[in-house]
Amino acid sequence: MQQLTDLTAVQLLAGYRKGEFGPVEVTEQALERARGIQPEVNAFVRLTEEDALVRARASQERWRRGEPVGLLDGVPVTVKDLLLLRGHPTLRGSRTLSEQGRWDEDAPSVARLREHGAVFLGKTTTPEFGWKGVTDSPLSGVTRNPHDPARTAGGSSGGSAAAVALGAGPLSLGTDGGGSIRIPAAFCGIFGLKPTYGRVPLYPASAFGTLSHAGPMTRDAALLLDVIGVPDARDWSALPPVPGSFTEGLKGGVRGLRVAYSPTLGGQVAVRPGVAAAVRRAVARLADLGAFVEETDPDFSDPVEAFHTLWFSGAARLTERLSPARRQLLDPGLREICARGARYSALDYLAAVDVRMDLGRRMGRFHETYDLLVTPTLPVTAFEAGAEVPAGSGLRRWTGWTPFTYPFNLTQQPAATIPVGTDEDGLPVGMQLVAARHRDGLVLRAAHALYEAGVAPAVGHPGRSAVSPAR
């Protein structure tokens, strides 16, 4: 049987157009794959099988008539369980929420996908309220890495990353407040993009405020961003539409681009040798493709304390109305940061905002000289599942091993991770591409050039020796 789960969204749409296969067959195979990987990887909180097949049959009939709707008619997609999906509970990894309710509204990005005919396979796992960089929660347990189920998939969009990596739908919607798209994408060996803040509308508004972004986790990121990157009246901070399309802007390569390569953010980050080597090889390919590459560092020190003030305050706000009994249901680590966040004053918060504003200014000036900043996405590869930090690291919180990601939530810049190889243990390594605000298309174009040059691994499903989906 043809493995339609190996195909990208673009390839699926080409097959529909030619009549080689249809959305029903594709959806059935994607659901079979999802069911097969679930016992070992735990990528889903729920599969929406009945609804998926209803939408697939309707799509197949539209294709039969030659009347597809939108850009993604019949393409399977998964949705992180922080985003509303009409008709299904969104419990956000928490035992403090109830399934009872009307659940009659889509998040903006989900609504746009529905309008474009996408098929929703299910909701993917998240840590509780998306609070940390790995995916485990009191509600849904531990999500594991497709390459080695003993290791974490990363987080907080870990279920989405694992699902895409293993072929349970070529597209997924993730969210990113401090790296939550880029971290699991890097650990699982897929592409993930945190767009410029406001490019993808969010509703309901996040308690973490303007740190939180929604974005695509897929090789077809430009196509997905064309669909979801439009305004929605429910988000007053949403950006206006871009002229043209992100897909049309993929061509052009990187020749002539000014690229700053910062391997350690000026010596601030200890990067494992296998990670550093894989990223350096990919940077050399950028130079081979015609970019002007200079090893240099942006002018900032680690803003982690400012990030903590904003992040922990958001967590405290999110849970402040819980009774003492309900609070005991929370992830213990989340309870800890909520208690710390509740102790910050308004002046503490505004001081963190000052740090953020200065960081944004510094990066704005930096991008007057450089088109792209390139770093490792993470200094480590996937570590043991169920832990917030690597064993023996001496670190306390997930921000200790994610110093390349959260600064660019503070600055609201577009930042993507692209897989650039593996370390000495065969685990995926990601390279981060960062551009000035509103230059999402440049990030996508550079990533596309690297894919075209063969730097990123071919689309497929890693770790089949470790994770054996049902056939």
Side-chain angles (χ1 to χ4, degrees), residues 135-321:
T135 299
D136 58 72
S137 76
L139 180 68
S140 53
V142 178
T143 298
R144 300 176 180 275
N145 195 289
H147 297 260
D148 179 355
R151 299 175 187 261
T152 180
S156 63
S157 306
S160 287
V164 170
L166 286 167
L171 307 176
S172 194
L173 292 177
T175 64
D176 190 315
S180 290
I181 285 173
R182 291 160 288 155
I183 295 164
F187 275 2
C188 293
I190 69 166
F191 183 82
L193 171 69
K194 178 189 75 68
T196 300
Y197 178 79
R199 173 51 52 214
V200 179
L202 276 173
Y203 172 84
S206 171
F208 299 109
T210 57
L211 294 172
S212 295
H213 305 55
M217 303 181 72
T218 171
R219 170 83 178 266
D220 304 287
L223 175 60
L224 184 49
L225 194 56
D226 279 335
V227 171
I228 64 176
V230 294
D232 187 287
R234 294 171 292 175
D235 183 353
W236 61 267
S237 64
L239 295 173
V242 297
S245 79
F246 292 106
T247 301
E248 291 169 356
L250 289 177
K251 300 297 182 183
V254 297
R255 183 167 300 279
L257 292 182
R258 302 160 298 171
V259 176
Y261 168 44
S262 180
T264 63
L265 291 181
Q268 297 181 79
V269 185
V271 179
R272 289 189 182 173
V275 173
V279 172
R280 189 171 289 276
R281 287 192 296 270
V283 170
R285 291 294 289 130
L286 280 172
D288 293 342
L289 294 169
F292 298 109
V293 178
E294 178 182 349
E295 188 167 325
T296 189
D297 303 301
D299 175 28
F300 67 80
S301 57
D302 187 356
V304 68
E305 290 307 320
F307 180 81
H308 281 170
T309 300
L310 300 172
W311 192 253
F312 297 172
S313 296
R317 171 66 173 165
L318 186 65
T319 59
E320 68 174 340
R321 291 185 173 85

Side-chain angles (χ1 to χ4, degrees), residues 2 12-13 28 33 39 54-55 100 109 164 183 190 237 240 253 263-264 281 327 383 385 391 394 401 436 443 462:
Q2 183 181 19
L12 290 176
L13 291 165
E28 288 174 342
R33 178 61 57 86
V54 167
R55 289 186 63 80
Q100 302 304 312
S109 51
V164 170
I183 295 164
I190 69 166
S237 64
T264 63
R281 287 192 296 270
R327 191 172 293 272
F383 50 87
W401 53 270
V443 172

Side-chain angles (χ1 to χ4, degrees), residues 279-433:
V279 172
R280 189 171 289 276
R281 287 192 296 270
V283 170
R285 291 294 289 130
L286 280 172
D288 293 342
L289 294 169
F292 298 109
V293 178
E294 178 182 349
E295 188 167 325
T296 189
D297 303 301
D299 175 28
F300 67 80
S301 57
D302 187 356
V304 68
E305 290 307 320
F307 180 81
H308 281 170
T309 300
L310 300 172
W311 192 253
F312 297 172
S313 296
R317 171 66 173 165
L318 186 65
T319 59
E320 68 174 340
R321 291 185 173 85
L322 293 179
S323 68
R326 301 295 287 173
R327 191 172 293 272
Q328 289 304 308
L329 299 176
L330 294 172
D331 181 328
L334 177 57
R335 280 205 308 274
E336 288 181 20
I337 71 162
C338 289
R340 182 170 166 185
R343 293 194 294 269
Y344 290 126
S345 69
L347 291 178
D348 293 328
Y349 193 94
L350 290 173
V353 172
D354 287 343
V355 171
R356 183 180 193 181
M357 298 292 282
D358 182 64
L359 179 60
R361 177 189 62 82
R362 290 170 184 268
M363 288 308 302
R365 294 297 299 270
F366 184 83
H367 284 292
E368 290 182 331
T369 302
Y370 299 102
D371 297 299
L372 288 172
L373 169 65
V374 174
T375 74
T377 306
L378 298 163
V380 297
T381 50
F383 50 87
E384 60 272 24
E388 185 183 344
V389 301
S393 66
L395 300 172
R396 173 66 175 158
R397 295 266 80 101
W398 62 272
T399 44
W401 53 270
T402 61
F404 292 111
T405 59
Y406 56 75
F408 305 109
N409 292 82
L410 290 166
T411 62
Q412 303 187 340
Q413 293 171 247
T417 182
I418 183 170
V420 292
T422 57
D423 70 356
E424 56 274 14
D425 295 322
L427 295 168
V429 172
M431 181 173 79
Q432 182 173 231
L433 305 170

